[in-house]
Amino acid sequence: MSHSSADIVVVGSINADLTVTVPRHPNPGETLLGNGGGLTAGGKGANQACAAAKLGASIALVGAVGDDANAGPATSVLRASGVDLSNVEEIEEVTGLAVITVAADGENTVLVVPGANACVDAAFVRAHSTPVEAAQLVLLQGEIPADGFAEAVALAAGRVVVNLAPVVDVPREALLQADPLLANEHEAGLILAQLGADDTGEPETLAQRLLDVGFPSVVLTLGAAGALVADANGLRPIPTPRVNAVDTVGAGDAFAGALCHRLVEGDSLDEAAAFAARVGAFAVQRPGAQPSYPSAADELPSCKSAE
């Protein structure tokens, strides 16, 4: 077991993405012809780790892959990006699989088969406690079991950032440790409903309600409209560059990884969110998830240049 340490530790999912492009999303019962069908690296945990690593972050991933042929494609970009995979176990299961359809307008649907990710429970996380306890920041999503999520929060000595996507039932007190909670508008409503609060209203209303239920800070991602930061100092809009979106798969994960990278580097939440919006805008201009993420050497789009 590795005793290496990283500034950021992601406890999360690793998937192989099977992507098909279609002219539009099919209606129920309808068959459409598509293109593609190749496997690429994905999984929300892996995507976010990759995004941060490509930007230069010191990052480790705690997770699991199967003993099947998909494990290689699922981890290839992580390895190339310098993510520490010494706490990723290969187990007797299938590697997590995401089946993604991307329409001509760039919008996507995703169906996830958890596979080995379902084994990242409390016992698994405890077995890999060293990097979690040593990290400056622990980043979590919703694609591992709830008790694994809660165990990672309990072990974390540093900052906890949560992107509860998909929105699954996790212990309330563990979830409220998120600082910030990172969510899109739809996820924000589902999280409020899970916590027994009103889940209707505009993004500003949802952000304020999330503060009211106990989150220290919140970042809502709003797609082409940018983002919204909320904390004890109020609510602030974060602009995003205007770009032509080709594929939105993994854009939210690019935002999350970039946000955490800049928080560890000492940025304020507003500064980190503004940088993350530029990284997300870069990513949507290219197909795929991890292959679309910028490196530290890439020039990011700016709001000023887009005007």
Side-chain angles (χ1 to χ4, degrees):
M1 192 153 308
S2 171
H3 292 282
S4 61
S5 62
D7 294 339
I8 301 171
V9 169
V10 177
V11 182
S13 56
I14 305 167
N15 290 337
D17 286 353
L18 173 63
T19 303
V20 178
T21 58
V22 290
R24 59 176 174 80
H25 293 299
N27 295 313
E30 181 183 15
T31 299
L32 287 180
L33 293 178
N35 295 303
L39 285 174
T40 56
K44 296 197 71 65
N47 288 350
Q48 294 175 10
C50 180
K54 281 190 169 185
L55 293 167
S58 165
I59 190 157
L61 180 59
V62 174
V65 294
D67 57 356
D68 57 359
N70 288 346
T75 56
S76 59
V77 184
L78 291 169
R79 296 182 190 280
S81 302
V83 177
D84 179 354
L85 299 181
S86 56
N87 289 278
V88 172
E89 287 192 31
E90 182 179 296
I91 60 176
E92 294 183 0
E93 246 292 0
V94 297
T95 299
L97 178 68
V99 181
I100 302 165
T101 58
V102 182
D105 62 3
E107 287 300 318
N108 66 85
T109 63
V110 185
L111 176 65
V112 176
V113 179
N117 298 312
C119 299
V120 186
D121 56 12
F124 185 102
V125 175
R126 278 195 299 273
H128 298 273
S129 62
T130 299
V132 179
E133 292 170 331
Q136 293 183 41
L137 185 152
V138 174
L139 174 58
L140 294 155
Q141 312 79 32
E143 289 185 341
I144 62 170
D147 64 337
F149 176 101
E151 185 67 19
V153 173
L155 289 169
R159 187 172 196 161
V160 173
V161 178
V162 174
N163 174 217
L164 194 64
V167 178
V168 294
D169 287 332
V170 294
R172 180 188 183 100
E173 290 310 311
L175 179 57
L176 289 174
Q177 297 304 306
D179 185 15
L181 172 73
L182 175 60
N184 62 30
E185 188 175 354
H186 174 67
E187 292 158 356
L190 292 175
I191 291 167
L192 284 167
Q194 182 180 132
L195 297 176
D198 187 349
D199 61 351
T200 61
E202 296 300 312
E204 293 80 6
T205 302
L206 298 176
Q208 184 58 55
R209 287 206 190 104
L210 288 166
L211 295 180
D212 292 343
V213 298
F215 290 102
S217 62
V218 174
V219 178
L220 293 190
T221 56
L222 306 173
L228 181 66
V229 169
D231 57 21
N233 295 318
L235 279 62
R236 285 94 60 194
I238 303 295
T240 194
R242 294 185 179 183
V243 297
N244 293 320
V246 171
D247 183 358
T248 60
V249 171
D253 295 332
F255 186 106
L259 179 86
C260 291
H261 167 53
R262 293 311 310 170
L263 288 175
V264 166
E265 291 297 309
D267 281 5
S268 69
L269 190 55
D270 294 54
E271 291 168 337
F275 178 81
R278 297 174 64 199
V279 170
F282 182 100
V284 300
Q285 297 178 89
R286 292 155 179 80
Q290 295 175 29
S292 74
Y293 298 160
S295 72
D298 284 318
E299 182 177 352
L300 301 178
S302 69
C303 296
K304 184 174 296 186
S305 65
E307 291 175 353

